[in-house]
Amino acid sequence: ENLAAFEQILTISDIRYRAGDIDGGELARMRLATMQVRNELRAKAMQLENARRELALLLGRDPETAPLDIEDQFRSAGSVPALEDLLATAISRRPDIAAAREYEALSTADLHLQQRERRPEFTVGTELRRITNDGNYVGVFFSIPLPIFDRNRGEIGRARAEQLQAQGELRALLAQVQTEMRNGYAKWQLSREVIGSLDGEMLED
């Protein structure tokens, strides 16, 4: 509609120029303004086509064989959860966070296992001895190995390093998700305000 209005004004300006009412500079400025509107319309049409293709891919459809065409009216969104609720939902349901937590739990369990392997095992037992002409004797013994070298120190160090790495990756992923959610929420609020202003001021006219 804007382009049609500019082209109509350009046609009128051309008639006025031929009649001598305006000079050539005014006509050139009108032609340039019409060209800018035409180029902007082409850019917006390309953005619309790209948005349709992305939407089709998100819906699992082939953009070439099953193109989408959106027809709707501007409308305000209903009640939307608070940002903190959306953050909690994202953190509890995103599969990458679940995988990072599983890896962190696995590394912690591996560290505990390696630490238990370092501890010596106790041995408790009993024995029965029969001595001729002297009766029977029952004995109880207790033994514990005394290792000279801690042979599992390397595995404990490896497991502790993996645990620290898993914890760091989990913290970084949580921070990334929170940043993405906050940025997306801010963009949504801005878009909602823009659509609300268009719906309330311009579209009614």
Side-chain angles (χ1 to χ4, degrees):
E1 292 177 356
N2 292 340
L3 179 60
F6 270 87
E7 290 178 345
Q8 184 178 3
I9 296 175
L10 178 60
T11 301
I12 296 175
S13 298
D14 185 66
I15 295 175
R16 293 181 61 191
Y17 170 75
R18 295 178 184 275
D21 294 339
I22 59 175
D23 56 7
E26 183 68 22
L27 179 62
R29 285 193 295 270
M30 195 62 216
R31 287 177 178 174
L32 179 60
T34 304
M35 184 182 300
Q36 291 176 347
V37 174
R38 187 179 293 112
N39 292 335
E40 183 179 359
L41 178 60
R42 292 174 180 173
K44 294 298 182 181
M46 185 177 298
Q47 292 179 5
L48 176 61
E49 184 63 25
N50 292 336
R52 288 173 177 171
R53 292 178 179 273
E54 292 179 1
L55 179 59
L57 291 176
L58 290 175
L59 295 176
R61 302 175 60 177
D62 188 355
E64 302 298 333
T65 59
L68 295 176
D69 192 10
I70 308 302
E71 295 183 359
D72 202 351
Q73 298 179 352
F74 284 106
R75 55 187 175 182
S76 300
S79 60
V80 178
L83 176 59
E84 298 302 327
D85 296 336
L86 295 176
L87 285 173
T89 302
I91 291 175
S92 62
R93 295 186 180 181
R94 283 189 52 148
D96 51 353
I97 295 181
R101 285 177 171 170
E102 289 290 337
Y103 178 63
E104 192 269 341
L106 179 62
S107 63
T108 301
D110 185 29
L111 176 60
H112 292 167
L113 175 62
Q114 298 303 329
Q115 290 175 344
R116 285 195 298 268
E117 291 291 335
R118 181 180 59 183
R119 301 172 183 174
E121 296 182 357
F122 303 97
T123 303
V124 180
T126 60
E127 63 177 353
L128 175 63
R129 292 185 179 182
R130 174 174 294 180
I131 301 177
T132 306
N133 300 326
D134 197 14
N136 299 328
Y137 295 88
V138 177
V140 179
F141 63 89
F142 173 83
S143 65
I144 178 174
L146 298 176
I148 300 178
F149 301 102
D150 186 1
R151 299 181 179 179
N152 210 37
R153 182 179 301 176
E155 289 297 323
I156 293 176
R158 176 197 58 78
R160 182 174 288 109
E162 291 183 355
Q163 182 192 38
L164 294 176
Q165 179 182 358
Q167 292 175 350
E169 292 177 354
L170 179 59
R171 288 193 299 268
L173 182 58
L174 290 174
Q176 177 184 352
V177 170
Q178 292 180 0
T179 300
E180 292 176 355
M181 288 294 300
R182 295 183 187 278
N183 292 340
Y185 196 82
K187 291 180 180 179
W188 172 81
Q189 285 182 324
L190 179 60
S191 301
R192 185 181 184 183
E193 293 176 359
V194 171
I195 292 177
S197 62
L198 291 175
D199 193 10
E201 297 177 5
M202 299 179 61
L203 295 182
E204 291 183 356
D205 298 336

